[in-house]
């Protein structure tokens, strides 16, 4: 499976991040600066996976504009096979965020209307059917419509190809509700897990039970700088992230965790080790000012892994 292409279908757009230079003053003008780069949950994970040595193919809607060229250039730089659906008269989706001086998110605005045009009918095209059938794994995100995610999950099941998802946000994760039982893993944070389950466990060990009750067989829940939980049919594990002395930007941390986890899982690692690899990948990313750290590699991952504690298995 590790020698096959990872087929990524989901968000690939432009991120605009404004970083506040001093203390944040709500309701007022704050000095700071802007940074623009390619982004998107699925695309961030795709670039990390490519830099970790995997063959990756990207399929995502794109506009015929300068922002679309930014995405294409980033895909080429990461060594990804880029096969977009291009709409020449449309604007490429974008995500605009305001970041505090310490790297934490204040607020964000997502202009993602173009993703609505990635309909289930796209998956019926011969090239798409062949791409699904020959993939080693499908990775998608909740930027796509719920009906497309459902059709994608069915196509993956018919082809006996595992499919994993990235939650993106509390508002979007519910698009996975009808496909939860088909996912090999769903990557989310606690806010997204609450939106999916309606639960708010006081103890992290209770998340697997709540998510299984919602229909999810396996998943990963991040909790900021606190312990990250992963569960599947074999059990549940928790890994505490190492302290990061110099936080760059938390943007993309969850996507890199997903890529590190998936890379290790495809290589046959067990749940606890896959989670450790995910935490190590996230640690590399949060030290970088970029959503996808340029230094991401198997060598960098091995170095970061040495700082990640062993997984704690939970009852």
């Amino acid at each position: 499976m590790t020698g096959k292409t990872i087929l990524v279908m989901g968000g690939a757009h432009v991120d605009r991040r404004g970083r506040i230079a001093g203390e944040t003053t709500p309701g007022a003008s704050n000095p700071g600066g802007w940074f623009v780069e390619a982004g998107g949950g699925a695309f961030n994970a795709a670039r990390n996976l490519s830099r970790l040595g995997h063959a990756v193919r990207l399929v995502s809607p794109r506009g015929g504009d300068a922002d679309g060229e930014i995405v294409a250039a980033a895909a080429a730089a990461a060594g990804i096979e880029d096969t977009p659906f291009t709409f020449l008269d449309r604007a490429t989706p974008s995500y605009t965020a305001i970041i505090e001086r310490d790297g934490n998110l204040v607020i964000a605005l997502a202009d993602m209307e173009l993703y609505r045009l990635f309909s289930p009918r796209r998956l019926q095209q011969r090239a798409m059917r062949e791409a699904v059938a020959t993939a080693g794994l499908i990775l998608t995100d909740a930027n796509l419509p719920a009906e497309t995610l459902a059709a994608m999950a069915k196509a993956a099941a018919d082809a006996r190809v595992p499919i994993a998802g990235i939650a993106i946000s509390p508002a979007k994760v519910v698009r996975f509700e009808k496909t939860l039982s088909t996912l090999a893993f769903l990557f989310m944070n606690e806010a997204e897990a609450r939106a999916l389950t309606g639960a708010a466990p006081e103890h992290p060990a209770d998340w697997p039970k709540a998510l299984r009750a919602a229909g999810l067989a396996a998943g990963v829940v991040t909790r900021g700088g606190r312990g990250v939980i992963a569960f599947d049919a074999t059990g549940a594990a928790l890994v505490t992230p190492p302290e990061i002395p110099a936080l760059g930007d938390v943007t993309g941390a969850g996507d890199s965790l997903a890529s590190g986890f998936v890379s290790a899982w495809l290589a046959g690692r067990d749940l606890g080790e896959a989670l450790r690899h995910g935490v190590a990948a996230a640690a590399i990313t949060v030290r970088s000012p970029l959503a996808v750290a340029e230094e991401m590699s198997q060598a960098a991952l091995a170095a970061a892994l040495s700082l990640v504690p062993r997984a704690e298995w939970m009852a």
Side-chain angles (χ1 to χ4, degrees):
M1 183 182 293
T2 55
K4 292 186 176 181
T5 297
I6 298 174
L7 178 60
V8 177
M9 296 186 281
H13 47 258
V14 169
D15 278 350
R16 293 180 172 85
R17 299 200 298 280
R19 187 155 187 159
I20 297 170
E23 293 298 321
T24 303
T25 305
S29 176
N30 288 261
W34 283 102
F35 181 76
V36 179
E37 66 172 338
F43 189 35
N44 289 342
R47 287 183 286 164
N48 282 315
L49 284 164
S50 182
R51 286 174 174 161
L52 289 174
H54 296 272
V56 179
R57 178 177 177 179
L58 174 69
V59 179
S60 185
R62 194 169 307 160
D65 54 9
D67 283 353
E69 294 175 3
I70 291 174
V71 174
I80 290 172
E81 181 186 357
D82 186 25
T83 56
F85 298 133
T86 303
F87 300 86
L88 296 176
D89 61 340
R90 303 274 184 156
T92 297
S94 64
Y95 170 83
T96 303
I98 302 298
I99 308 292
E100 290 188 301
R101 183 176 60 180
D102 62 5
N104 287 307
L105 178 68
V106 177
I107 194 169
L109 186 149
D111 180 4
M112 306 291 174
E113 281 301 303
L114 190 64
Y115 293 133
R116 295 169 63 90
L117 299 184
F118 195 149
S119 67
R121 291 183 60 186
R122 294 281 179 181
L123 299 171
Q124 297 172 11
Q125 296 176 358
R126 180 177 178 179
M128 290 302 304
R129 295 199 308 270
E130 291 177 350
V132 169
T134 58
L137 172 79
I138 295 171
L139 179 63
T140 188
D141 67 25
N143 280 309
L144 301 185
E147 59 270 21
T148 303
L149 295 173
M152 195 180 297
K154 183 180 185 306
D158 290 345
R160 297 184 179 180
V161 175
I163 181 170
I166 296 174
I168 298 298
S169 72
K172 293 181 179 180
V173 68
V174 293
R175 297 175 184 175
F176 277 116
E177 282 182 330
K178 294 183 178 180
T179 62
L180 291 177
S181 64
T182 67
L183 296 177
F185 286 96
L186 178 62
F187 299 90
M188 71 206 97
N189 60 32
E190 280 194 305
E192 293 154 354
R194 284 194 294 269
L196 199 58
T197 63
E202 293 184 6
H203 194 280
D206 294 329
W207 272 122
K209 180 180 178 180
L211 288 161
R212 286 182 177 125
L216 184 65
V220 176
V221 182
T222 62
R223 305 167 60 243
R226 298 172 295 160
V228 183
I229 304 114
F231 70 96
D232 63 8
T234 69
L238 181 144
V239 171
T240 301
E243 291 189 12
I244 307 298
L247 185 67
D249 192 330
V250 298
T251 304
D255 307 327
S256 62
L257 187 145
S259 59
F261 184 102
V262 164
S263 180
W265 183 71
L266 288 174
R269 305 278 186 177
D270 67 20
L271 182 72
E273 278 302 296
L275 184 56
R276 290 186 68 238
H277 280 71
V279 170
I284 294 171
T285 299
V286 298
R287 290 197 298 264
S288 169
L290 305 175
V292 177
E294 293 180 343
E295 61 269 29
M296 182 67 72
S297 66
Q298 285 291 351
L301 188 62
L305 191 64
S306 67
L307 303 176
V308 179
R310 291 186 179 275
E312 301 174 33
W313 290 91
M314 300 185 293

